[in-house]
């Protein structure tokens, strides 16, 4: 049996940290979705047909999925952290265990949503992950992601990869996705984020 690569070691540690802290994390973010995220989700849903299917990668406690449903979307909730799925199950929301790096995404979907999630994916894995997203989208389908903007990465309990805005836009283009809209905003702890809305060409 081969030893796990450092990439997977980083991700495994991040997932284990979320497993242990899911309830604390939920207590911090519950009821406090940034207006910039809500605006971006509204823009995404304007491109989704009524009753369209949305794959959410990294649903967490499910607030974004709840918002998508309030706008008429049908959400497939997924997370790589069982503790988050358990939190959602406690309020009657079903989710599936899915690791965007190692698992197939299925599809086709009208949209794929990944808010503040791909920051935990190693930089070397972003290209294959974005290609998976492309393959999971129906022609004309849209992809919305929020990424931390900056340089380098932090390791420790939560691996966080920072991206230059142009570099992530280039990664989307390399995967075959056409950038439709982006915005930059400041989140908690003065962290700079950017939203990216891209589509798979018809």
């Amino acid at each position: 049996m081969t030893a796990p690569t450092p990439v997977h070691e980083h991700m495994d540690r991040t997932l284990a940290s979320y497993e242990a802290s899911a309830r604390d994390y939920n207590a911090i973010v519950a009821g406090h979705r940034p207006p910039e995220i809500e605006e971006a989700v509204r823009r995404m849903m304007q491109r989704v047909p009524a009753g369209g299917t949305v794959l959410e990668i990294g649903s967490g406690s499910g607030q974004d999925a709840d918002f998508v449903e309030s706008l008429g979307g049908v959400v497939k909730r997924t997370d790589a952290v069982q503790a988050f799925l358990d939190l959602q199950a406690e309020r009657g929301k079903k989710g599936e265990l899915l690791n965007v790096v190692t698992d197939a995404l299925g599809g086709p979907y009208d949209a794929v949503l990944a808010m503040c999630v791909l920051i935990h994916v190693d930089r070397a894995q972003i290209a294959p992950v974005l290609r998976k997203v492309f393959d999971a989208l129906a022609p004309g389908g849209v992809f919305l992601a929020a990424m931390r903007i900056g340089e380098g990465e932090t390791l420790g309990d939560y691996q966080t990869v920072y991206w230059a805005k142009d570099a992530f836009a280039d990664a989307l283009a390399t995967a075959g996705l056409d950038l439709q809209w982006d915005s930059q905003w400041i989140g908690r702890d003065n962290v700079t984020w950017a939203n990216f809305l891209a589509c798979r060409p018809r």
Side-chain angles (χ1 to χ4, degrees):
M1 186 165 167
T2 58
T5 65
V7 167
H8 287 139
E9 285 176 3
H10 295 156
M11 174 162 279
D12 288 349
R13 186 170 177 183
T14 298
L15 295 178
S17 298
Y18 274 120
E19 289 285 5
S21 66
R23 289 185 185 278
D24 293 337
Y25 176 85
N26 184 45
I28 292 170
V29 302
H32 300 288
R33 293 320 275 157
E36 294 87 355
I37 285 184
E38 291 200 352
E39 178 202 1
V41 172
R42 286 184 190 277
R43 283 179 177 267
M44 178 190 78
M45 291 304 295
Q46 288 170 1
R47 307 282 295 268
V48 173
T53 55
V54 179
L55 169 67
E56 185 178 27
I57 297 165
S59 290
S61 55
Q63 293 184 92
D64 293 336
D66 294 347
F67 188 56
V68 169
E69 288 175 351
S70 78
L71 298 175
V74 177
V75 186
K76 180 178 179 179
R77 299 163 185 250
T78 73
D79 207 286
V81 175
Q82 184 64 47
F84 280 131
L85 299 177
D86 293 345
L87 276 174
Q88 294 199 59
E90 287 171 13
R91 56 189 188 87
K93 301 294 186 179
K94 182 182 180 299
E96 298 178 24
L97 207 56
L98 183 141
N99 183 317
V100 70
V101 173
T102 58
D103 296 336
L105 302 186
Y109 304 102
D110 296 299
V112 175
L113 178 64
M115 300 308 282
C116 314
V117 174
L118 301 185
I119 60 171
H120 299 308
V121 173
D122 189 85
R123 200 178 307 276
Q125 294 294 320
I126 279 290
V129 163
L130 292 179
R131 189 65 202 184
K132 277 190 195 182
V133 169
F134 177 94
D135 291 340
L137 286 169
V142 288
F143 173 53
L144 177 63
M147 302 296 291
R148 281 194 180 188
I149 302 304
E151 296 180 356
E153 59 188 85
T154 60
L155 296 176
D157 289 343
Y158 299 91
Q159 179 190 21
T160 303
V161 179
Y162 292 77
W163 282 82
K165 202 168 156 192
D166 289 349
F168 192 75
D170 288 346
L172 290 168
T174 299
L177 295 159
D178 292 342
L179 185 62
Q180 305 290 299
W181 170 84
D182 63 77
S183 67
Q184 193 162 302
W185 51 283
I186 306 297
R188 283 188 303 115
D189 302 324
N190 284 322
V191 171
T192 301
W193 294 88
N195 296 324
F196 298 87
L197 182 64
C199 78
R200 175 174 173 164
R202 292 187 182 279

